[in-house]
Amino acid sequence: MQLFYSKTSPYTRKVLLVARHLGLMDDIKLVPVNPLEPGEDFLHANPLSKIPTLLVEGEPALFDSRVIVEFLLDRAGMNDTGRAKTEVLKRQALADGIMDAALSIFLENNRPEEQRSSYWQDRWHAAINRALAHLEDGAVQALEHWRLDAMATAAALDYLCFRVPEVNWKDHYPKTAAWFEDVCQKDDMKATNPRD
């Protein structure tokens, strides 16, 4: 398998966390790509020019981190079904929403100042704060096991620390911050640190 990726992408990090946890990293060749300056191989695999994208021999390319992690879980025989799976997917969706808003803020902050939209930045900050409040109000307690929802949440929270440090979330959401500090000690998190 080949994974088109960017080390700083939180979506890629989620995929790498899952792959490492499932023991699949030896089966994956990492291919770095800049989706803003894509090569033809990458565009052929993913016409949306978004990362991560997984190539599996004999199969159409898989893109979107949610699709890729489902494929990896199936491949490892670790994919749940039923109500428990629905709850995991709901928490993954919350984490992905945090990633979406944080990435949007990061990209907006990199535009020339006169082109930035305070309206959209305020909306994205509000979405992040509502999601963090939801975690703090009980969702983080459901992340007691290191599985897809916890990995997605850890990737999202660390992306906030990495790319949107002005969101001072740890002081406002202490239960979520304590959970995050604990999972940051995991080998999977250390091995996928985008700062290294």
Side-chain angles (χ1 to χ4, degrees):
M1 295 184 285
Q2 288 187 334
L3 184 71
F4 288 111
Y5 84 111
S6 169
K7 188 173 185 177
T8 58
S9 161
Y11 310 99
T12 294
R13 191 174 192 192
K14 177 177 64 171
V15 168
L16 293 176
L17 287 168
V18 171
R20 282 183 54 80
H21 181 68
L22 296 174
L24 296 174
M25 285 304 296
D26 288 344
D27 300 332
I28 298 174
K29 177 185 175 189
L30 298 176
V31 181
V33 65
N34 179 350
L36 300 177
E37 298 175 6
E40 287 302 315
D41 288 346
F42 176 56
L43 287 177
H44 179 72
N46 187 342
L48 298 174
S49 188
K50 294 176 93 172
I51 48 162
T53 297
L54 184 68
L55 298 182
V56 181
E57 190 172 343
E59 304 228 8
L62 300 170
F63 40 89
D64 191 284
S65 63
R66 291 168 290 203
V67 174
I68 296 170
V69 295
E70 289 299 311
F71 173 82
L72 296 176
L73 288 164
D74 284 342
R75 187 177 181 104
M78 299 288 289
N79 215 344
D80 294 331
T81 58
R83 185 66 185 162
K85 175 65 177 215
T86 301
E87 293 302 313
V88 168
L89 291 176
K90 282 171 48 180
R91 289 185 291 270
Q92 177 190 210
L94 184 73
D96 284 357
I98 293 171
M99 291 181 205
D100 294 343
L103 178 61
S104 296
I105 292 168
F106 173 72
L107 293 174
E108 190 74 6
N109 285 342
N110 282 293
R111 296 177 69 192
E113 191 167 351
E114 65 276 6
Q115 294 178 12
R116 296 177 196 167
S117 169
S118 59
Y119 171 79
W120 282 108
Q121 288 180 320
D122 289 346
R123 286 182 60 91
W124 295 321
H125 279 281
I128 290 169
N129 281 312
R130 287 191 304 269
L132 291 169
H134 184 76
L135 282 170
E136 189 75 5
D137 289 343
V140 76
Q141 293 166 359
L143 301 175
E144 59 186 333
H145 301 292
W146 190 235
R147 58 186 179 196
L148 171 59
D149 51 354
M151 294 176 208
T153 302
L157 294 176
D158 198 40
Y159 190 75
L160 282 176
C161 296
F162 177 45
R163 291 295 203 197
V164 196
E166 67 269 21
V167 176
N168 186 19
W169 65 272
K170 291 182 183 179
D171 290 343
H172 299 288
Y173 306 104
K175 289 184 280 189
T176 303
W179 175 86
F180 176 69
E181 292 303 321
D182 186 50
V183 298
C184 280
Q185 303 311 309
K186 292 185 175 293
D187 289 341
D188 291 342
M189 288 291 286
K190 293 177 181 177
T192 59
N193 187 342
R195 301 160 186 85
D196 294 341

